[in-house]
Amino acid sequence: MTPKQTLKRSIVFFLVPDFTMIAFATALEPLRSANRMLGYEAYRWRLASADGRPVRGSNGVECAVDTSLEDERRKMAGPERPSMVIVCSGLNVEKYQQKSVFAWLREEYNRGVAIGGLCTGAHVLAQAGLLSNRRCAIHWENLPGFAEAFPKANVYADLFEVDANVYTCAGGTAALDMMLKLIGDDFDDNLVNRVCEQVLTDRVRSPTDRQRLPLRARLGVQNSKVLTIIELMEANLAEPLSLIEIADHVGLSRRQIERLFRQEMGRSPARYYLEIRLDRARHLLIQSSLPVVEVAVACGFVSASHFSKCYRELYARSPQQERVDRKQLMAA
């Protein structure tokens, strides 16, 4: 390599069972494209797993790896030590309990290695104790359970977050945006634009762009007042607002709100509010080990019995059965 052709980063992608292939691929491909655009190997990577064996992704495809955790430990003190480790995970991350992996991540971080997480990778980093008082991002579907399990982490529904030497992204194509930012930090916008052209994307999204579709598109609702009310509801699940409080906030009467919700949502505002609280409860039951009574409180229910009654009416099973069914599915 000439002086200008220096290795910028050597990266270990650590694969966790059921990792999300799209996040992994969209993190890796920009590096390959950047090398191609530059004409030399500015980025180098290898794949690792706990035991050095292939890892099956959530789509059922097995991915061969280059090294094991034991191999990576041997490399830590030598010239092959990476400058960055990125944890790739996805489904069922809540059951991943590998203390040796958590210890290795801490050791790498303490040696100055940047640490990252794709999709639900933030969960693994939090288990390793690396996200206390740090900003992080995780897939929106996992955010409620993550926030309850790791209250010291500052989690956001952003596409990605960079806090000092820790990188996290929500998964999916957000991995592309995070890696394009990294390439831009290492080089310049010109290289980023060339990589964007190569992978057929027209822009780099900002960290705070939405993970999910805007409410207008997601729900097919056009009425701005109804959208404002729904946003209020989603922001106040643990301590639900009364209809009078909502009415005062949006400048409508209770009767007007009732009529609008019947027209736009096909049910009363109280019923819709209940459904989104129960949806959050379902995510917490699936993703966390919180007692049912704590799930109930976190979703604005005054008693576990009332919560169980409402849950059974909507989902035709009790919260306890929901959790049992989930455990059986994960064990299968």
Side-chain angles (χ1 to χ4, degrees):
M1 288 185 182
T2 68
K4 289 185 178 180
Q5 295 180 344
T6 55
L7 178 68
K8 284 292 183 181
R9 295 179 191 263
S10 59
I11 302 174
V12 171
F13 287 95
F14 185 82
L15 305 184
V16 172
D18 290 326
F19 71 96
T20 305
M21 191 68 74
I22 187 172
F24 169 60
T26 52
L28 184 57
E29 283 300 303
L31 304 177
R32 181 193 65 80
S33 292
N35 285 350
R36 184 178 175 219
M37 297 298 103
L38 291 165
Y40 71 94
E41 191 179 56
Y43 297 99
R44 184 179 299 159
W45 56 84
R46 60 181 179 262
L47 311 185
S49 68
D51 56 8
R53 295 179 181 176
V55 182
R56 187 183 297 273
S58 59
N59 60 0
V61 175
E62 276 198 345
C63 187
V65 301
D66 305 297
T67 60
S68 66
L69 187 59
E70 184 179 349
D71 296 330
E72 290 301 328
R73 284 190 175 283
R74 284 197 292 265
K75 296 176 187 292
M76 283 174 64
E80 291 187 274
R81 187 179 78 190
S83 57
M84 189 171 196
V85 172
I86 298 179
V87 176
C88 310
S89 65
L91 298 177
N92 303 324
V93 69
E94 302 85 12
K95 71 176 183 179
Y96 190 73
Q97 298 292 332
Q98 293 283 346
K99 292 184 179 179
S100 57
V101 172
F102 303 152
W104 167 65
L105 289 171
R106 287 193 296 271
E107 290 173 46
E108 293 282 18
Y109 178 78
N110 291 334
R111 288 172 179 262
V113 175
I115 302 294
L118 305 181
C119 192
T120 61
H123 200 287
V124 179
L125 302 192
Q127 287 274 50
L130 296 175
L131 293 183
S132 292
N133 300 314
R134 289 194 180 279
R135 292 179 65 92
C136 61
I138 198 168
H139 193 278
W140 63 266
E141 198 172 35
N142 299 84
L143 197 149
F146 179 90
E148 293 291 339
F150 304 105
K152 291 184 179 180
N154 300 321
V155 63
Y156 294 88
D158 295 339
L159 293 183
F160 65 91
E161 284 288 345
V162 180
D163 190 337
N165 221 20
V166 177
Y167 296 69
T168 52
C169 83
T173 57
L176 173 64
D177 300 287
M178 186 174 78
M179 300 309 280
L180 287 172
K181 182 191 184 309
L182 184 140
I183 292 168
D185 290 344
D186 289 345
F187 290 95
D188 53 32
D189 288 343
N190 179 56
L191 178 58
V192 170
N193 291 337
R194 292 169 67 193
V195 173
C196 284
E197 289 182 336
Q198 193 69 30
V199 300
L200 304 182
T201 187
D202 61 353
R203 70 185 181 102
V204 183
R205 293 176 294 178
S206 73
T208 55
D209 277 8
R210 292 174 180 266
Q211 285 189 29
R212 304 182 71 179
L213 288 172
L215 278 175
R216 190 180 301 273
R218 182 159 33 112
L219 302 177
V221 174
Q222 301 302 316
N223 188 288
S224 60
K225 291 289 188 181
V226 172
L227 292 171
T228 299
I229 292 168
I230 293 173
E231 287 175 350
L232 270 174
M233 290 176 173
E234 291 187 347
N236 294 273
L237 299 181
E239 297 183 10
L241 300 173
S242 68
L243 193 53
I244 293 175
E245 290 173 312
I246 293 172
D248 289 343
H249 192 280
V250 298
L252 295 174
S253 69
R254 294 179 59 182
R255 183 171 296 179
Q256 286 173 313
I257 293 175
E258 291 277 359
R259 186 171 66 252
L260 279 174
F261 262 76
R262 294 287 183 188
Q263 290 173 350
E264 297 285 344
M265 308 306 296
R267 49 205 179 280
S268 71
R271 180 64 187 181
Y272 185 82
Y273 208 170
L274 175 64
E275 288 176 3
I276 60 175
R277 287 161 54 209
L278 288 170
D279 181 66
R280 178 184 174 89
R282 185 169 182 270
H283 279 96
L284 288 175
L285 289 168
I286 290 172
Q287 299 164 12
S288 76
S289 57
L290 286 174
V292 171
V293 66
E294 290 186 25
V295 171
V297 171
C299 298
F301 292 89
V302 295
S303 70
S305 59
H306 181 232
F307 167 58
S308 295
K309 178 177 179 292
C310 294
Y311 197 94
R312 187 184 294 275
E313 287 176 354
L314 183 62
Y315 295 114
R317 56 186 175 277
S318 69
Q320 292 84 353
Q321 189 60 47
E322 184 77 76
R323 183 161 277 170
V324 169
D325 291 347
R326 174 63 174 175
K327 287 180 179 178
Q328 289 176 346
L329 181 63
M330 289 174 67

